[in-house]
Amino acid sequence: SHLSYANVILCLLFLLQTDKLQPNKDTVFFRDGVRRIDFVLSYVDEKDGEKKQERRREFEANLEKAGLELETEDKTDSKDQKSYFLKIHAPWDVLATYADVLKIKVPFKVSDIPHGRDIPWEWLSHPFRLPEHVMHPQSDYFTYHFDKTKTDFYLINDKETFFPPSTRNRIVFYILARCPYYKEGRKEKDKTGIKRLLSNGTYTAAFPLHDCRYWKRARNAECESERYNLYKHWARFLCFYKEQPLNLIRKYYGEKIGIYFAWLGFYTEMLFFAAVMGLICFVYGVLSYDDNISSKEICDAEIGGSILMCPLCDKKCTFWTLNSTCLSSWQSHLFDNEGTVFFAIFMGIWVTLFLELWKRRQARLEYEWDLVDFEEEQQQLQIRPEFEIKCTNRRLNKITQEMEPYLPITTKCARYCLSAATVIFWISLIIACIIGVIAYRLAVYASFASVIKDPVRKIQLVGRFITPQLATSVTASCINFVTIMVLNFFYERVAIWITDMEIPKTHLEYENRLTTKMFMFQFVNYYSSCFYVAFFKGKFVNYPGDYSYMFGKWTNLRNEECDPGGCLIELSTQLVIIMAGKQLWGNIQEALLPLMRNWWSSRRGRHHPENHYSRWEQDHVLQNFSQLGLFYEYLEMVIQFGFITLFVASFPLAPLLALFNNILEIRVDAWKFTTQFRRPVAAKARSIGAWQEILNAVAILSVVTNAFIMAFTSDMIPRMVYLYAYSKEGSMKGYVNNSLSVFHISQIDKPNLPDDDDSFDNSTTCRYRDYRYPPGHDKEYTHTMQFWHILAAKMAFIIIMEHVVFVVKFFVAWMIPDIPSDVKARVKRERYLIQEYLHNYEVERLKLQLSASFITEPVSEISSMTDKHEVLSECL
């Protein structure tokens, strides 16, 4: 009986112990189940790491002096038996103190301003809507900067939940970034902050905790399970047609990440209209296929088959017949038609609408997310710890009358000069690589051409589809894409290094400088090859008797001619390869690699981590979201924006490709944030920062580039001039013959002639793309009057198109105010109510103070106190 009782007691103790320990396996609270874990630091205790141990002791002692509460999980409790986890909790006093310092806005009254009106046909949008508790996870309040001395002014129902987890981890990180780890009495300014401790290996990671597992709600009812809601309603690809829960994203991740997804979602919505118009333009090209008289003449055996063309390169290239380019001329018509002009003008207006409507959307978010006055008041509070540590000089701030760190002008100029020289060097390196690719194109074209069999009847290399021009363009584009990726890999690190070297004062300044450097580099890196094909290739060829050469005749690298179908189809090829390749590579990096890593982890038995790991261990194995994580996301989208605006006239389907990519991008990014990354430290931002100005600059430049593409790269202007000024029948019949000049074969220099002299079948003349007088004319081989008419028409088109689009752009920008009128009214209303409530609060508090002092003061002072009360009330 004693043994049976003992067994029962042991079983009960085991069950109690199991119940006690099990919640700790997946919880966001300390062992007492009350104090919330606001931040976690991890480290490995190395045998020879005495210096690291000393740093940790000093750092943790200083954290406790700052008021934070710590709790350590021993390595014996971790799965790998190596890692220690330091859990950090910020009590109310610390949160209140730093909320006051950081001027964090908190609610003081439920908002009584009605939000919007019923929209007609709203039921049509129901399939795209999310549940109300997901779209609006908290009530709407009037907010005001937190003041520790006025806690009874705010709506504080529970001090433990008054500050949301995102605000709590932001406050704790602010303390960690500025907490020293030197001994008391030894002020070593460089020994400060968690970032430095992470870089020297004292701690291996620092992160706030996710509130639950992404596929399952938290067991503890006090946990909000917001991560689960984000995954269920936002991060799954099957939700691609649903709206984004921006308020929940902002509440969980902070305003900075929220504003990125708001911008990406808005950009994708606007892409829908551009994609539809681009598709219509492409369909028009397909439907007008049979009306393309020029292509019919090229393909006609009696017209195109009888026209012998001059060799496209020296020695290896033979004479060829025009009808061999039949396929490429049809392909060129798909993108080079009358609808392309309309689409180029439409995109100039679309980009203005996008930017102006985004400003309105951003203004509405600023109001809804309490960011209206953020930047002005928070600028000085965003000083980077690195600036405070590295800048040993101090000077008096004329505004605050306090000593502050600063960088001397001589040091600043020296650092800026080195930074500028580095950027110029890398941009020069890109240009050198582009020149190398051009040289490759010139050299390899002859090799492709020399492989051709039976050159008089065919110019194809493989079947009927690949010409030497196309083969050269595709291979050069692929080489260029690989070069772009390699240069990107190195320059990203260089850009971060030189930006760190400049020691920017604030986080905003740091991001803006890095943004400018990276975009300048990426602009040249990604777009230079497209600029070459659009505006330089085929423009400096001259004519058969006097060809132009790259770096002189001694190089034997004759300047490239355009594809027989025109340079626009080559620009389309270049654009598709680089744009699609970049998007494909980006999606592989963002989605497939993490999926493969997850599959490998599951193979090792981590498919049920909640059964094995604690909450901090589950988050510890996730990827760290760096401070520059959003920077790369913005950069990827802005580069894409450049592709669909700068060169969209050459490929109207570019917005459609971008739309499909962005639909996937939103969900991939959401999936990464909810499942692959540790929870980022919440950060505030009221706008997309320097990217807004970059988008404006790209939008203006896109009008110019598309006008030049339509004028100089497309054949539209020569066709229009022929139709209205030179055609005798008022149609495009005879245009092909009119657009080709004649050259006498006997006048071609021997180095320019093909090795196979029999390739021209004893013909005496050959044709080439230009407008020059024929042999025997008084002005032999000089430009005809039609050439100058076409040039004048091109310049006139550029001027007219630019002015029309710019006038419409500025008119649209003037017509659409940056801030919606209802938002302006709400901001004014809220400010008025804040002042009114603050006034009433101060009056009531003063009355209470005076009443209390009235009771304790002698009777002789009653009259004077009453007078004082009346005077103060009137002043208030």
Side-chain angles (χ1 to χ4, degrees):
S1 61
H2 290 293
L3 287 174
S4 60
Y5 279 122
N7 289 335
V8 170
I9 292 170
L10 287 172
C11 289
L12 288 172
L13 287 172
F14 175 77
L15 289 172
L16 287 171
Q17 186 70 9
T18 303
D19 291 338
K20 181 180 177 181
L21 290 176
Q22 189 62 25
N24 290 336
K25 283 292 183 181
D26 190 40
T27 182
V28 292
F29 293 95
F30 274 21
R31 296 191 193 99
D32 57 17
V34 177
R35 292 174 295 171
R36 189 180 187 106
I37 302 171
D38 297 313
F39 228 87
V40 173
L41 307 181
S42 68
Y43 61 91
V44 177
D45 194 4
E46 300 170 355
K47 294 180 180 180
D48 55 348
E50 294 180 2
K51 287 186 177 180
K52 293 180 181 179
Q53 290 178 5
E54 184 180 350
R55 291 183 200 135
R56 284 193 291 267
R57 279 196 300 270
E58 295 298 333
F59 186 68
E60 290 167 17
N62 288 328
L63 289 179
E64 289 179 329
K65 287 178 184 177
L68 297 178
E69 297 176 1
L70 312 178
E71 186 176 83
T72 304
E73 290 291 330
D74 193 80
K75 66 179 180 181
T76 56
D77 296 326
S78 63
K79 190 69 178 177
D80 61 7
Q81 299 289 302
K82 296 178 182 178
S83 300
Y84 292 84
F85 293 93
L86 179 67
K87 299 176 289 185
I88 302 174
H89 168 76
W92 169 258
D93 287 340
V94 174
L95 293 172
T97 300
Y98 283 93
D100 194 346
V101 170
L102 295 173
K103 303 296 182 185
I104 292 173
K105 286 188 174 183
V106 294
F108 69 90
K109 184 183 182 299
V110 177
S111 175
D112 58 359
I113 299 177
H115 279 270
R117 295 171 295 179
D118 293 336
I119 303 172
W121 308 97
E122 187 179 5
W123 58 272
L124 290 174
S125 64
H126 283 174
F128 310 102
R129 297 285 182 188
L130 291 175
E132 184 66 20
H133 74 278
V134 176
M135 288 302 298
H136 301 284
Q138 55 190 3
S139 303
D140 192 17
Y141 296 99
F142 290 132
T143 59
Y144 189 67
H145 302 308
F146 187 81
D147 188 340
K148 192 177 180 180
T149 63
K150 302 175 182 177
T151 53
D152 53 336
F153 175 70
Y154 307 101
L155 295 177
I156 303 177
N157 297 321
D158 184 356
K159 290 183 177 181
E160 293 298 323
T161 59
F162 179 67
F163 293 106
S166 57
T167 303
R168 296 175 69 100
N169 70 55
R170 180 182 161 213
I171 290 173
V172 173
F173 184 74
Y174 182 87
I175 299 171
L176 291 173
R178 287 159 176 78
C179 183
Y181 56 89
Y182 50 78
K183 290 183 178 180
E184 190 174 354
R186 293 175 56 190
K187 295 198 172 182
E188 302 169 75
K189 293 297 292 182
D190 60 329
K191 292 187 175 182
T192 303
I194 186 62
K195 288 185 179 179
R196 194 166 181 84
L197 289 170
L198 289 170
S199 64
N200 61 31
T202 304
Y203 290 99
T204 55
F207 53 92
L209 291 179
H210 283 294
D211 60 359
C212 65
R213 303 185 294 277
Y214 66 85
W215 67 91
K216 189 176 181 181
R217 290 187 181 277
R219 298 173 184 174
N220 193 329
E222 295 181 16
C223 286
E224 301 85 355
S225 297
E226 291 173 346
R227 186 190 187 193
Y228 168 77
N229 285 330
L230 285 169
Y231 177 74
K232 180 180 178 182
H233 299 286
W234 178 52
R236 295 187 301 168
F237 183 75
L238 293 178
C239 302
F240 73 92
Y241 62 94
K242 297 279 189 180
E243 61 184 335
Q244 293 189 87
L246 294 177
N247 289 316
L248 185 57
I249 297 169
R250 173 246 180 169
K251 183 173 182 285
Y252 192 74
Y253 291 114
E255 287 79 3
K256 192 171 185 178
I257 292 175
I259 207 84
Y260 162 72
F261 280 104
W263 176 81
L264 180 57
F266 184 79
Y267 171 46
T268 305
E269 290 171 13
M270 291 295 292
L271 270 178
F272 173 78
F273 302 102
V276 169
M277 293 305 300
L279 187 61
I280 291 173
C281 179
F282 178 76
V283 170
Y284 171 79
V286 174
L287 295 179
S288 61
Y289 213 62
D290 295 332
D291 300 328
N292 184 11
I293 297 175
S294 299
S295 293
K296 287 182 178 179
E297 290 184 347
I298 291 174
C299 297
D300 193 319
E302 295 183 359
I303 301 175
S306 63
I307 296 176
L308 186 72
M309 301 296 293
C310 298
L312 295 174
C313 66
D314 296 341
K315 298 290 185 180
K316 301 297 182 183
C317 297
T318 61
F319 294 91
W320 51 281
T321 54
L322 185 62
N323 66 341
S324 61
T325 64
C326 177
L327 182 63
S328 64
S329 68
W330 284 114
Q331 292 170 344
S332 180
H333 175 73
L334 294 176
F335 306 117
D336 190 4
N337 54 66
E338 294 77 8
T340 309
V341 183
F342 167 78
F343 184 63
I345 296 173
F346 168 82
M347 287 301 294
I349 300 170
W350 172 88
V351 74
T352 304
L353 286 171
F354 163 63
L355 294 174
E356 293 302 319
L357 293 176
W358 165 247
K359 289 178 185 176
R360 291 171 62 83
R361 176 68 173 139
Q362 187 171 265
R364 192 175 296 279
L365 288 175
E366 284 181 23
Y367 166 73
E368 293 176 356
W369 292 356
D370 294 324
L371 298 169
V372 175
D373 302 318
F374 165 71
E375 195 167 72
E376 292 79 4
E377 297 174 356
Q378 295 291 320
Q379 187 70 22
Q380 293 304 317
L381 296 174
Q382 291 183 340
I383 292 178
R384 299 169 64 238
E386 294 86 347
F387 182 84
E388 296 176 332
I389 293 167
K390 293 180 181 179
C391 295
T392 56
N393 297 292
R394 295 288 186 272
R395 69 180 174 186
L396 184 69
N397 187 313
K398 295 179 180 179
I399 299 173
T400 62
Q401 293 297 307
E402 294 179 357
M403 298 300 291
E404 66 175 11
Y406 82 102
L407 198 63
I409 188 68
T410 53
T411 306
K412 188 180 293 187
C413 288
R415 291 173 182 270
Y416 285 177
C417 288
L418 179 59
S419 175
T422 306
V423 173
I424 292 171
F425 167 77
W426 278 89
I427 289 178
S428 302
L429 184 61
I430 297 172
I431 295 173
C433 291
I434 295 300
I435 293 173
V437 172
I438 294 171
Y440 162 83
R441 297 171 72 111
L442 301 179
V444 81
Y445 179 81
S447 300
F448 279 123
S450 65
V451 182
I452 301 173
K453 308 297 182 185
D454 197 4
V456 176
R457 289 192 295 272
K458 290 186 179 182
I459 199 171
Q460 288 84 359
L461 278 174
V462 180
R464 300 175 55 250
F465 302 103
I466 300 180
T467 65
Q469 291 93 338
L470 181 60
T472 303
S473 181
V474 170
T475 55
S477 298
C478 293
I479 292 172
N480 189 50
F481 175 71
V482 173
T483 306
I484 287 171
M485 293 294 105
V486 173
L487 289 174
N488 274 352
F489 176 80
F490 290 105
Y491 183 76
E492 283 177 4
R493 288 149 181 80
V494 173
I496 294 171
W497 174 73
I498 58 178
T499 307
D500 288 338
M501 182 194 63
E502 292 175 6
I503 320 179
K505 184 176 182 180
T506 66
H507 292 293
L508 182 64
E509 189 178 347
Y510 181 91
E511 290 183 7
N512 288 347
R513 289 188 191 179
L514 182 62
T515 297
T516 304
K517 292 182 185 67
M518 282 296 294
F519 182 75
M520 286 172 57
F521 175 83
Q522 299 278 22
F523 184 91
V524 178
N525 200 15
Y526 278 105
Y527 303 140
S528 55
S529 58
C530 292
F531 272 101
Y532 164 73
V533 174
F535 306 123
F536 296 97
K537 184 179 178 182
K539 307 300 186 294
F540 307 99
V541 177
N542 223 344
Y543 61 96
D546 187 24
Y547 283 122
S548 298
Y549 288 80
M550 186 179 182
F551 306 126
K553 287 189 176 183
W554 63 273
T555 60
N556 293 325
L557 296 176
R558 199 173 97 188
N559 284 350
E560 257 188 306
E561 294 188 43
C562 288
D563 186 277
C567 269
L568 197 72
I569 190 67
E570 290 194 55
L571 180 58
S572 303
T573 304
Q574 184 87 4
L575 183 66
V576 169
I577 289 176
I578 296 179
M579 180 181 172
K582 182 183 184 305
Q583 293 183 166
L584 181 63
W585 177 249
N587 290 330
I588 289 173
Q589 283 184 309
E590 292 184 8
L592 292 183
L593 293 181
L595 282 173
M596 291 173 65
R597 187 160 45 251
N598 287 351
W599 174 82
W600 178 249
S601 297
S602 65
R603 295 272 295 180
R604 295 170 62 187
R606 295 186 181 180
H607 50 287
H608 294 298
E610 74 278 11
N611 296 332
H612 307 286
Y613 297 117
S614 59
R615 162 70 16 227
W616 41 92
E617 286 182 282
Q618 292 180 46
D619 287 3
H620 183 254
V621 297
L622 298 177
Q623 298 178 58
N624 180 47
F625 184 77
S626 68
Q627 184 183 353
L628 298 175
L630 277 184
F631 168 81
Y632 294 111
E633 302 294 343
Y634 274 119
L635 183 62
E636 179 184 0
M637 289 296 104
V638 172
I639 292 296
Q640 181 203 83
F641 180 80
F643 278 124
I644 69 162
T645 54
L646 294 174
F647 309 102
V648 72
S650 67
F651 188 59
L653 293 180
L656 185 64
L657 293 181
L659 176 65
F660 290 146
N661 176 79
N662 287 9
I663 291 173
L664 179 64
E665 181 76 20
I666 290 175
R667 304 303 159 178
V668 168
D669 285 349
W671 174 76
K672 286 193 306 181
F673 271 97
T674 52
T675 67
Q676 302 302 303
F677 286 138
R678 298 170 188 158
R679 185 173 183 172
V681 178
K684 283 185 174 289
R686 63 177 298 181
S687 67
I688 61 175
W691 298 112
Q692 183 75 42
E693 297 305 319
I694 289 174
L695 292 173
N696 288 331
V698 171
I700 293 172
L701 182 61
S702 68
V703 178
V704 179
T705 56
N706 283 303
F708 272 84
I709 286 172
M710 295 309 303
F712 287 99
T713 311
S714 166
D715 277 344
M716 185 201 69
I717 300 297
R719 288 199 301 264
M720 293 298 101
V721 171
Y722 175 80
L723 179 64
Y724 294 109
Y726 290 90
S727 175
K728 296 178 181 179
E729 302 179 9
S731 69
M732 291 302 295
K733 286 185 178 179
Y735 169 72
V736 173
N737 186 63
N738 176 267
S739 65
L740 298 173
S741 297
V742 180
F743 196 87
H744 206 286
I745 294 177
S746 63
Q747 295 178 300
I748 299 178
D749 295 335
K750 189 173 182 180
N752 301 136
L753 286 171
D755 293 332
D756 183 4
D757 293 336
D758 298 330
S759 62
F760 50 92
D761 289 339
N762 299 319
S763 298
T764 58
T765 60
C766 64
R767 312 293 291 272
Y768 59 99
R769 288 170 59 92
D770 206 344
Y771 293 90
R772 294 179 182 270
Y773 289 110
H777 194 276
D778 293 340
K779 299 179 180 179
E780 184 180 70
Y781 303 137
T782 60
H783 285 122
T784 64
M785 188 57 65
Q786 186 175 354
F787 170 85
W788 300 109
H789 287 167
I790 291 173
L791 182 62
K794 288 179 177 180
M795 300 307 296
F797 173 82
I798 291 171
I799 294 171
I800 293 171
M801 178 178 171
E802 285 183 357
H803 280 70
V804 168
V805 175
F806 277 130
V807 167
V808 174
K809 277 169 67 69
F810 290 129
F811 178 73
V812 169
W814 175 75
M815 284 289 292
I816 302 176
D818 292 347
I819 303 176
S821 57
D822 64 315
V823 171
K824 285 183 180 179
R826 288 180 179 181
V827 170
K828 291 178 180 178
R829 165 78 175 157
E830 185 166 332
R831 285 176 176 170
Y832 167 76
L833 290 175
I834 287 172
Q835 293 300 321
E836 184 180 12
Y837 275 93
L838 275 174
H839 171 267
N840 294 337
Y841 170 78
E842 293 291 350
V843 169
E844 290 299 322
R845 193 166 73 159
L846 186 56
K847 284 181 180 179
L848 290 174
Q849 291 175 354
L850 293 174
S851 297
S853 62
F854 174 78
I855 295 172
T856 58
E857 287 292 327
V859 178
S860 60
E861 299 180 5
I862 291 177
S863 58
S864 63
M865 290 299 298
T866 304
D867 294 338
K868 189 187 293 184
H869 184 184
E870 291 175 357
V871 171
L872 288 172
S873 297
E874 288 176 6
C875 290
L876 286 170

